[in-house]
Amino acid sequence: MQFEEKDISYPPVHPGTDRTFIRFYSGCPDLNSIYYNEDSQNQPKRIFVTDTNVASIPAIKPFIENFRAENYAIPKIQAGLIAKRGKDVLLVIGSGETFKTIESVLSICKAAIDSNAERSAIFVGIGGGVITDLTAFAASIFKRGARCELIPTTLLSIVDAAIGGKTGCDFDDYKNMIGSFFPAQKIHIIPSFIQSLPQNEYRSGLAEVVKTAMLYSSPLFEKLCANPKILTERNSSLVEEMIKICVNAKAKVVEQDLTEKNIRMHLNLGHTFGHALESRAGLGVITHGDAVAWGIVRAAELSNRLGICNHDYLEKVRNAISLFGWETSAIHPVLKGKFANDDDLAHSLLDAMKKDKKNSSSKIKFVLQSDIENTLVTEVEDKNILEVLK
Ligand code: GLY
């Protein structure tokens, strides 16, 4: 076949998404003073997005109450609520993974369209990973790319989900199947939010902290292991310190590999096993972090069996995970009684992993460690995977 080829090149798409300012706050800053100060008259329109849970928490409520729904102060926080404050708009959507849908993304776009937002509008997501992912996705497709700022409110979204420009929603039973890379222009980190999180949500985020420490900070890992009370007491200076270390570590990774071509994959340590457990346990039965913590031990077992890490490192990982009360045995209690035997259970988890990775080659890729801060990605034979699942 003969052809002539001409190539044309472009400046980067979406100016403004080429850098992110991450602001670390101390104390309990009022969101009103972040967004409504002497400069707010000159700001573009803001589309604030949050969920029913977050809108009701004491640190956020004073901000929400300044909006008006149809000329009345907000009487009741409910999903679908749209309220206004000057030219700005607030949209409250339902809380939880079941709302991580394309319909929610479209409802954010509709709130923006109905308020005559321009491409210069700023979409501000205030909430956990579901809200930050949905809001940033809506910003990325609204008029082919508006602007985005995030205020993550859970430990998991502060140290992981909100950092690094991954946006999206679930689709057709697959998590995060639709989405884009669209970094926020600003991320506001407010560690004091952590103090009022429900314990299961806090513990879920702590698993991502432990994961990040294993990947990038041996000193943080040792410190957490020496202070297991961080699970129950939430010492605010240690919470602030761990948040800063994790955010900075992730920022460094995504700066080098925003679109997950190489080192960003390491952030999935424990996630291949963890996602399979989440899927087989059923939606909402186990938190993401509890599943990832269990997955981290399975990954260490696999690494040891493949001769990648020694027994001492495997034991170190196992001890750290059990120190925080996470499950370390091959058969997780949430799956007990769900399968005829252990062999069926292991095969079902393997099937879930294959489904999760349905577009890659037949062998499943794992993030494994030879030691702390020593990470690699490798394909593994099914038989080796099955061995660490029973
Ligand atoms: N949560 C993993 C990543 O952001 O790449």
Side-chain angles (χ1 to χ4, degrees):
M1 200 196 311
Q2 273 198 332
F3 56 86
E4 237 180 59
E5 189 170 78
K6 170 176 173 56
D7 73 32
I8 52 177
S9 60
Y10 310 93
V13 181
H14 306 309
T17 60
D18 57 341
R19 67 196 311 191
T20 300
F21 296 93
I22 304 180
R23 290 193 183 166
F24 294 91
Y25 295 82
S26 51
C28 310
D30 177 2
L31 296 195
N32 288 302
S33 58
I34 296 179
Y35 281 100
Y36 295 95
N37 45 43
E38 57 282 4
D39 190 35
S40 56
Q41 283 305 319
N42 305 322
Q43 291 292 325
K45 180 193 290 294
R46 275 82 56 101
I47 317 293
F48 293 98
V49 182
T50 192
D51 69 29
T52 45
N53 256 358
V54 174
S56 309
I57 65 179
I60 307 284
K61 235 175 155 183
F63 178 73
I64 302 297
E65 282 168 352
N66 278 310
F67 286 78
R68 296 280 179 275
E70 293 168 8
N71 294 326
Y72 291 98
I74 295 171
K76 198 162 129 232
I77 304 295
Q78 55 199 359
L81 175 77
I82 295 182
K84 298 207 168 110
R85 180 175 183 178
K87 61 185 179 219
D88 295 340
V89 179
L90 167 75
L91 170 65
V92 181
I93 59 181
S95 166
E97 189 75 25
T98 50
F99 287 90
K100 199 171 181 186
T101 59
I102 194 68
E103 288 75 22
S104 294
V105 176
L106 297 178
S107 71
I108 300 171
C109 292
K110 181 159 169 49
I113 291 164
D114 289 349
S115 68
N116 300 317
E118 304 284 346
R119 191 186 281 162
S120 58
I122 305 175
F123 288 54
V124 186
I126 308 171
V130 171
I131 287 294
T132 55
D133 280 12
L134 289 173
T135 308
F137 185 29
S140 78
I141 57 174
F142 179 74
K143 297 196 172 176
R144 301 197 173 90
R147 290 194 270 166
C148 176
E149 292 190 15
L150 300 174
I151 306 182
T153 58
T154 62
L155 183 56
L156 198 140
S157 60
I158 288 175
V159 299
D160 189 31
I163 316 291
K166 276 190 182 174
T167 87
C169 64
D170 303 338
F171 187 67
D172 207 12
D173 284 342
Y174 292 100
K175 279 183 78 151
N176 301 325
M177 192 44 83
I178 305 177
S180 57
F181 286 100
F182 194 79
Q185 283 190 323
K186 256 186 221 158
I187 303 172
H188 302 272
I189 305 285
I190 304 176
S192 57
F193 285 154
I194 303 310
Q195 299 303 334
S196 52
L197 283 181
Q199 183 60 14
N200 67 336
E201 239 177 75
Y202 171 67
R203 203 169 77 152
S204 181
L206 205 55
E208 294 287 356
V209 173
V210 170
K211 175 207 79 177
T212 308
M214 289 171 65
L215 291 171
Y216 308 111
S217 175
S218 176
L220 177 62
F221 183 77
E222 299 302 336
K223 196 160 192 173
L224 292 170
C225 293
N227 292 279
K229 280 193 177 155
I230 189 66
L231 178 65
T232 47
E233 293 183 359
R234 307 188 197 179
N235 172 289
S236 51
S237 69
L238 185 49
V239 166
E240 273 190 38
E241 184 185 343
M242 71 191 191
I243 284 177
K244 211 165 203 170
I245 293 172
C246 292
V247 170
N248 286 332
K250 185 159 181 192
K252 203 166 155 191
V253 171
V254 298
E255 222 174 12
Q256 295 171 70
D257 181 24
L258 180 69
T259 55
E260 200 169 345
K261 302 241 168 13
N262 43 70
I263 58 166
R264 186 168 183 164
M265 286 180 205
H266 294 179
L267 293 164
N268 292 325
L269 178 65
H271 282 61
T272 305
F273 286 112
H275 282 157
L277 176 60
E278 278 181 271
S279 122
R280 288 308 179 241
L283 194 70
V285 171
I286 183 167
T287 65
H288 177 68
D290 284 357
V292 166
W294 173 82
I296 286 172
V297 184
R298 293 302 93 220
E301 286 266 9
L302 185 57
S303 180
N304 180 245
R305 278 181 196 246
L306 296 172
I308 294 171
C309 81
N310 63 27
H311 195 257
D312 285 355
Y313 187 57
L314 167 59
E315 285 311 307
K316 189 173 175 159
V317 172
R318 202 198 307 274
N319 289 338
I321 294 300
S322 74
L323 198 59
F324 292 100
W326 286 304
E327 187 59 46
T328 60
S329 56
I331 300 193
H332 197 290
V334 295
L335 296 183
K336 278 201 177 129
K338 280 192 166 235
F339 296 90
N341 55 52
D342 294 350
D343 210 43
D344 282 3
L345 186 158
H347 276 94
S348 173
L349 286 167
L350 182 65
D351 284 349
M353 290 179 211
K354 293 200 161 164
K355 205 173 164 212
D356 198 26
K357 304 276 176 251
K358 66 176 185 165
N359 291 320
S360 50
S361 69
S362 61
K363 279 192 203 162
I364 301 174
K365 271 192 193 148
F366 283 88
V367 180
L368 300 176
Q369 291 198 296
S370 57
D371 202 348
I372 193 149
E373 293 190 45
N374 258 303
T375 311
L376 53 90
V377 180
T378 187
E379 289 189 336
V380 179
E381 303 278 350
D382 289 359
K383 69 176 173 43
N384 297 119
I385 303 168
L386 289 168
E387 277 167 9
V388 300
L389 288 173
K390 49 191 172 179

